[in-house]
Amino acid sequence: MSGVWVVVEHRQGEVREITFEMFGKGNELARALGVQCHAVLLGDDIAPLAAKIKPLVPKILAVEDPGLSEYNALTYRAVLGELIRVHTPLMVMIGHTACGMEVAPRLCAGLKWPLATDCVDMQVVDGNIEVIRGMYSDKVNARVGFRGAPGCILTIRSGSFPCEPKADDDAEVTMLPSPPLSEAQERRFIELVAAPKGDVDITRADVLISVGRGLGGPENLPLVEAFAEALGATISCSRPVVDKKWLPKERQVGTSGKKVAPRVYIALGISGAFQHVTAMKQSGTVIAVNKDPRAPIFNVADYGVVGDMFDVVPALTKMLQEQDV
Amino acid sequence: MHIIVCIKRVPETAEAEVAVDASGKAIQTDLLSFEINEWDEYAVEEAVRIVESRGGKVTVVTLGGAESQKILRKALAMGADEAIHLNDPAFLGGDSYAVATVLHAALKEISFDLILTGVQAGDDGCAQVGSILGELFSLPSACMVTRIELREGVVAVERELEDGMAEICELDLPGVLTIQTGINEPRYVSIMGIRKAKGKPVREMGAGEVNLPENTLGVSGSLTELKELFLPPVETEAEMLGGSNEEIAKRVLSIVKEKGGPI
């Protein structure tokens, strides 16, 4: 059963998008390695989930157990660790998500298998797997190889690969027994909490003016508010602004905040971490202002200004106010 | 309650230009400023707050050269009680697994209730050390923690998921948590505060003290191999706007107008 494995991520009965993205690349790499791509599906009710992924991969390995009704890092660790130990895949792909990032390092340490997290690309070089991953605020890429084990574990960044189109055949499903999950009881799932609702819905704005770390501090907000008011735009922000409590969580654009696609998105002092970019790249037109000419935000911008937002924003506000007179 | 917080010294790169050095495996650091990793600073603050309200002790630990003293002093000034400095050339250059192996060896004789780390480090972005420690210590772990509630022998945590959602789960103590930014507001420490913390104990440990064979340390103890660093290809097809601030402003407003903005 040695092949390329893709661990299926699902929540509340839905297979999460990262899974379909991993199938696309997983099938491609499996072909390059001369093996098959396997979906690995854990849950307490496999059939409805398996139905959703059957047309996308040749094989599904499924473990069904009442103890797998909710995601839990320790149960996933126990089951996946046993499956990997017994079947020795060449490569295990897991989403670099809130769930995958908990499980993969525990597998790495438990099995002593190499792990590369947050991978954005993978290739087979002379039969060996190599990955590309971002470092230093995504301003540098690293090429990483593996050693010391028959396979490797990867976590994959969301949005790195297109979703796999459906094939004609349905996957063959192999049900496998679950190892005992008693030790996994040291961590217990309690509940899921829905996203907080605020008084402003940034997903409905036509024009968003989004501020990032470059804002410097809450004392500089009035400058941006004056611009937003003069333009009739809504203010949103990137994660550091919420972390520092300069703006409330409901204003956050990002994987852990909201996904937006306004007609115009103006990014001020936002470097463009992938968690942010993923959630705004569907915007109609993106205008970015940043001091660093190599800031990743410029890769998704239609128009860029290399400069200080504190020079550009007052000029914009002044021009708008003069137009009104 | 004894809380151990693992911290790391990293360069600030979010707002800086970054270039690869001549070795092709590291970045040029001469123009970068180094700080305590942002996620770790939240973790130190959280540990100090817990101990301030419940009593106990906070130990901070870092792996790094002599220059890492500064972040230990900062954490002590924030309220940590003592520090461990894993300082040996043999420890350096390893991947997350190798780093966690040394941390585990250095901490395994110490009794503790919680280990906190940041979710990830701002330099390599690996997000691995906390969970690997959980596995090496055979303790439960949870990542991306945004709220902590301690009860007798148990910790309930809220952890961040995607799309603004969160998960509440409960772990038996002792346990390992990785702390997400925004969980608190880290206190400001002045130079004076750092000086005042000078008297707090910092224990240095080298390869001899952690008692691990040399082939488990640093590069030779790593399971992954960094082949090269390179600048990502510039994918932008953005039209760059130049000129005076007024000229830029005029272009920006005409673009907004043309693309369907409200002007």
Side-chain angles (χ1 to χ4, degrees), chain B residues 62-65 85-95 98-99 101-103 105-106 204-214 216-220 222:
Chain B
T62 195
L63 183 154
H85 188 180
L86 302 169
N87 184 6
D88 195 307
F91 295 159
L92 303 177
D95 65 5
V99 168
T101 300
V102 174
L103 286 167
E204 293 246 355
M205 292 176 83
E209 282 83 5
V210 299
N211 202 17
L212 284 171
E214 202 160 307
T216 63
L217 302 177
V219 176
S220 41
S222 298

Side-chain angles (χ1 to χ4, degrees), chain B residues 104-119:
Chain B
H104 172 250
L107 300 174
K108 67 175 188 234
E109 305 299 333
I110 301 173
S111 106
F112 59 85
D113 302 283
L114 269 178
I115 293 180
L116 305 185
T117 71
V119 164

Side-chain angles (χ1 to χ4, degrees), chain A residues 47-58:
Chain A
L49 295 165
K52 293 177 192 190
I53 58 173
K54 270 185 175 176
L56 299 164
V57 271

